[in-house]
Amino acid sequence: MPKKRVNRDPEIIQFVKDHPQSSSQEILDGLQLPISVITLRRSLQDLCAKGLLTRIGELKGSRYTISEGFAVLSPIDLGDYFSQEIDERAIQASFNLDLISETLKNLTLFTERETSLLQVWQEKHKANTAKLTDDVYKKELERLAIDLSWKSSQIEGNTYSLLETERLLKDKETAAGKTKDEAIMLLNHKEAIDFIIQNPTYINPLTVSSIEDIHSMLAKELPISRNIRNSRVGISGTNYTPLDNEYQIREALEQMCELVNAKEDVFEKALLVLVLISYIQPFSDGNKRTARIISNAILLKNGYCPISFRTIDSLEYKKAMLVFYEQTNIQPFKQIFMGQFEFAVNTYF
């Protein structure tokens, strides 16, 4: 029986943090690892491929340092992270002004293995949809739209069940004991999803005005301001504070649109929109809802499978978002995105 590989990545990363521009031999000697330098180099190569380390130089002259995107892509244990109370966590309390314009601009969010997995699932989606008639495809989109409306609203505290949501959206039958605003939230979701299905090029290219328009659909008849906010907003569960200046918020949104439009990979575009609209918090409310709709608009426009988020636990979603707020670490949310994309491919169409 082969020996189980010991994961030495954390100690290698820590050594490189403490001793930047170390050679593989210096890392091996410094850690006194019971492995060969060839084995270590394979680990270093893998860490570089994951975007956690950067190699400087070639062959025997190679030296290693922590990558610029380390904070975004580094592994993180959510159990350990949230074992600390809100005031005990060491966080980036204010908006990172360089994140969008510098760090994410030059970063590849998915590893080669992750990209391969996503492409395999997308090819399966293409093969599945190719066999469907137009009517069947539309019915499947309708089913996914109902699921997305329900889950996206549930994440925001809506108490409608999936069955009650289906009755509301199909038959306009409200559920007993629920508020009017809950029904409106769900109906607005469905309207926004129908709009992006009927107008697939509306977000291509992505603009601040198109984001505002989608938000307006979601905010219709709800006590939510439709304009980019010009005051401070607090986020429950975290000490992270977003920008509070209207002009800076608009500039951050413009930078985000420029970043997303420049990216070639559709999965990166969709993931970036999901986390960055929430991170910027351009509106007084409805930011995550807007992010989920626009992310799906990007997937649909490019012929990719949309995501309903149906099986994601609301608390898990919120924790992944909090980690991005506080550490600009995308790993937990990336895993949610990939898991929900796989689920959608295997469940719909």
Side-chain angles (χ1 to χ4, degrees):
M1 186 174 179
K3 287 184 179 180
K4 187 176 180 182
R5 180 182 178 272
V6 178
N7 181 17
R8 305 186 187 281
D9 291 353
E11 55 185 319
I12 292 171
I13 288 169
Q14 189 59 53
F15 185 88
V16 174
K17 271 186 176 181
D18 297 336
H19 306 86
Q21 298 200 28
S22 293
S23 67
S24 54
Q25 189 63 56
E26 286 169 341
I27 297 169
L28 189 68
D29 294 342
L31 291 173
Q32 298 183 339
L33 297 175
I35 57 175
S36 69
V37 71
I38 294 174
T39 301
L40 174 61
R41 283 171 183 160
R42 282 199 292 267
S43 295
L44 290 168
Q45 184 178 9
D46 183 52
L47 289 169
C48 289
K50 291 177 180 177
L52 302 178
L53 297 183
T54 297
R55 188 178 70 180
I56 303 167
E58 298 293 333
L59 302 175
K60 291 184 178 180
S62 297
R63 293 187 169 271
Y64 298 88
T65 187
I66 295 297
S67 72
E68 289 185 5
F70 178 81
V72 178
L73 297 171
S74 59
I76 186 167
D77 186 308
L78 292 185
D80 287 346
Y81 188 78
F82 287 104
S83 67
Q84 302 175 79
E85 295 297 331
I86 178 174
D87 293 324
E88 296 173 349
R89 299 196 293 265
I91 72 168
Q92 300 176 30
S94 57
F95 186 88
N96 184 334
L97 294 172
D98 295 328
L99 177 66
I100 300 173
S101 60
E102 298 295 334
T103 306
L104 292 172
K105 187 176 181 181
N106 303 309
L107 201 59
T108 300
L109 298 181
F110 295 100
T111 65
E112 288 184 13
R113 181 180 176 279
E114 289 167 341
T115 299
S116 296
L117 273 174
L118 288 165
Q119 288 297 348
V120 167
W121 298 330
Q122 172 57 18
E123 287 303 314
K124 181 178 179 180
H125 172 68
K126 283 178 65 177
N128 290 345
T129 54
K131 301 172 187 174
L132 303 180
T133 64
D134 286 347
D135 283 346
V136 173
Y137 179 77
K138 287 177 183 176
K139 285 179 181 177
E140 283 299 286
L141 264 184
E142 178 78 3
R143 184 163 73 97
L144 188 146
I146 291 171
D147 286 357
L148 174 58
S149 298
W150 166 69
K151 176 53 74 171
S152 185
S153 298
Q154 188 203 55
I155 290 171
E156 304 309 317
N158 196 299
T159 63
Y160 265 69
S161 69
L162 179 54
L163 182 59
E164 289 168 336
T165 299
E166 186 175 10
R167 286 181 185 150
L168 173 69
L169 299 183
K170 283 188 172 182
D171 306 322
K172 301 298 183 285
E173 181 182 331
T174 57
K178 310 296 183 182
T179 67
K180 180 182 177 181
D181 282 356
E182 286 182 293
I184 292 172
M185 180 191 290
L186 289 160
L187 291 165
N188 287 354
H189 266 88
K190 185 60 165 53
E191 180 182 339
I193 296 165
D194 288 345
F195 178 82
I196 64 171
I197 290 171
Q198 294 161 11
N199 302 275
T201 61
Y202 191 74
I203 48 77
N204 186 42
L206 184 63
T207 63
V208 174
S209 62
S210 62
I211 295 170
E212 290 178 300
D213 288 345
I214 297 298
H215 177 263
S216 290
M217 292 180 202
L218 292 166
K220 188 174 66 173
E221 296 181 38
L222 290 173
I224 300 173
S225 171
R226 298 192 188 189
N227 302 317
I228 289 179
R229 59 184 176 81
N230 56 10
S231 59
R232 188 179 184 277
V233 65
I235 304 173
S236 60
T238 181
N239 288 329
Y240 162 70
T241 305
L243 296 168
D244 59 9
N245 180 286
E246 180 182 354
Y247 302 101
Q248 284 186 311
I249 293 170
R250 184 172 291 276
E251 182 182 21
L253 274 179
E254 289 170 349
Q255 288 176 345
M256 184 202 73
C257 290
E258 183 179 343
L259 172 68
V260 170
N261 291 331
K263 290 282 184 179
E264 294 185 5
D265 185 87
V266 174
F267 294 115
E268 284 203 17
K269 289 173 180 279
L271 178 58
L272 283 169
V273 161
L274 268 176
V275 296
L276 289 179
I277 291 178
S278 301
Y279 183 65
I280 297 168
Q281 292 277 310
F283 308 107
S284 61
D285 197 1
N287 296 287
K288 293 191 294 295
R289 280 170 266 173
T290 303
R292 288 187 285 270
I293 298 299
I294 293 177
S295 179
N296 271 304
I298 289 171
L299 292 171
L300 282 164
K301 186 268 168 190
N302 288 280
Y304 283 49
C305 185
I307 301 175
S308 69
F309 297 98
R310 196 180 86 191
T311 62
I312 189 65
D313 178 78
S314 298
L315 182 59
E316 183 183 348
Y317 188 102
K318 290 172 183 175
K319 282 184 174 180
M321 202 66 251
L322 288 176
V323 168
F324 193 82
Y325 291 152
E326 297 181 355
Q327 305 296 337
T328 64
N329 186 306
I330 206 169
Q331 280 295 100
F333 213 97
K334 184 169 68 167
Q335 296 311 308
I336 287 175
F337 179 87
M338 292 184 66
Q340 290 303 303
F341 185 78
E342 181 184 18
F343 169 79
V345 169
N346 291 329
T347 304
Y348 305 102
F349 310 101

